[in-house]
Amino acid sequence: GESVGLHLPTLSVQEGDNSIINCAYSNSASDYFIWYKQESGKGPQFIIDIRSNMDKRQGQRVTVLLNKTVKHLSLQIAATQPGDSAVYFCAENYGGSQGNLIFGKGTKLSVKP
Amino acid sequence: KAGVTQTPRYLIKTRGQQVTLSCSPISGHRSVSWYQQTPGQGLQFLFEYFSETQRNKGNFPGRFSGRQFSNSRSEMNVSTLELGDSALYLCASSPGDRNTEAFFGQGTRLTVV
């Protein structure tokens, strides 16, 4: 039968506002997490990562928070700009080797000028 | 420093044919991972190669295979193509150590008709 596309959660924000994108990860043994941004027609772009021995990490205009108790990640984008419009994915890595990243379904961020 | 290069960018193949996709990682990176991205299933891990050896494998049929050369360049092959293999195929390059950043190429858009 015809495959049904993933229904991506959508977050719509006004330019200049802060954005918070949430992600629930699946494995309590995961020890490394990455946030990616994917624009239409492009590959995922690395934004920021965090290891499980941390609960917060800051980059340029972005902050990632990790709550291992509830297996939750969030990405905060300060002063959101139209160029931030994209689909955002969280990815987790657990056990085994480095290369196997498990991706979340993604959140579509739409920034209104 | 050049990024991850995937060739070709676009490909149209007929059911039953086979296809080979290529990925050149970032200079100095020894790990190459392959992912399939579809609207229905999202981003799914295919396999990872490190120092010419398959280090990890996802849950895909044997029609999907890969290899890595001594210069870390990698190829993936899909034999006996099916309509459902139509997807964006992405490769990710990383140094290969645990919990280090993985950077993606632009992907190869494969359409099977």
Side-chain angles (χ1 to χ4, degrees):
Chain A
E2 184 181 25
S3 63
V4 177
L6 286 172
H7 174 64
L8 290 180
T10 300
L11 176 64
S12 185
V13 301
Q14 205 67 41
E15 181 179 358
D17 287 351
N18 296 334
S19 303
I20 299 176
I21 301 171
N22 296 304
C23 174
Y25 63 91
S26 58
N27 196 306
S28 57
S30 292
D31 60 358
Y32 180 60
F33 307 86
I34 306 177
W35 278 100
Y36 287 96
K37 170 189 180 183
Q38 188 174 27
E39 296 172 281
S40 181
K42 297 184 178 181
Q45 175 189 349
F46 177 94
I47 300 174
I48 192 168
D49 61 356
I50 188 168
R51 290 169 174 73
S52 59
N53 61 352
M54 304 170 71
D55 52 22
K56 181 179 181 179
R57 189 160 190 230
Q58 288 183 291
Q60 186 178 11
R61 281 202 307 119
V62 294
T63 300
V64 56
L65 298 178
L66 173 62
N67 185 331
K68 294 183 287 293
T69 303
V70 294
K71 295 191 289 185
H72 184 268
L73 270 173
S74 68
L75 177 71
Q76 300 177 1
I77 305 174
T80 313
Q81 302 167 2
D84 295 327
S85 295
V87 177
Y88 289 80
F89 294 94
C90 65
E92 64 183 292
N93 178 263
Y94 62 91
S97 68
Q98 160 63 24
N100 182 0
L101 290 173
I102 308 300
F103 281 83
K105 302 290 187 220
T107 296
K108 184 175 181 180
L109 175 64
S110 177
V111 182
K112 295 176 286 187
Chain B
K1 200 174 190 180
V4 181
T5 304
Q6 290 188 246
T7 57
R9 288 293 310 277
Y10 303 93
L11 208 47
I12 300 175
K13 289 286 190 178
T14 304
R15 270 184 304 174
Q17 287 187 311
Q18 67 95 26
V19 67
T20 299
L21 312 180
S22 179
C23 174
S24 293
I26 292 169
S27 177
H29 284 190
R30 294 191 297 164
S31 167
V32 174
S33 298
W34 289 90
Y35 293 81
Q36 182 195 65
Q37 186 174 30
T38 60
Q41 300 297 323
L43 272 153
Q44 293 186 288
F45 172 75
L46 281 156
F47 30 66
E48 181 211 5
Y49 285 86
F50 177 80
S51 293
E52 302 179 66
T53 301
Q54 188 179 85
R55 187 161 73 167
N56 207 348
K57 188 178 187 305
N59 190 26
F60 276 80
R63 299 186 297 107
F64 292 81
S65 63
R67 60 177 174 167
Q68 188 180 34
F69 303 94
S70 58
N71 61 358
S72 294
R73 189 177 71 85
S74 177
E75 290 180 346
M76 69 163 281
N77 185 78
V78 188
S79 62
T80 320
L81 283 165
E82 301 176 0
L83 295 178
D85 297 332
S86 294
L88 181 66
Y89 289 89
L90 293 156
C91 85
S93 160
S94 74
D97 301 322
R98 272 194 63 73
N99 298 343
T100 53
E101 302 95 325
F103 297 95
F104 282 84
Q106 297 280 57
T108 294
R109 171 72 64 186
L110 172 65
T111 302
V112 182
V113 298

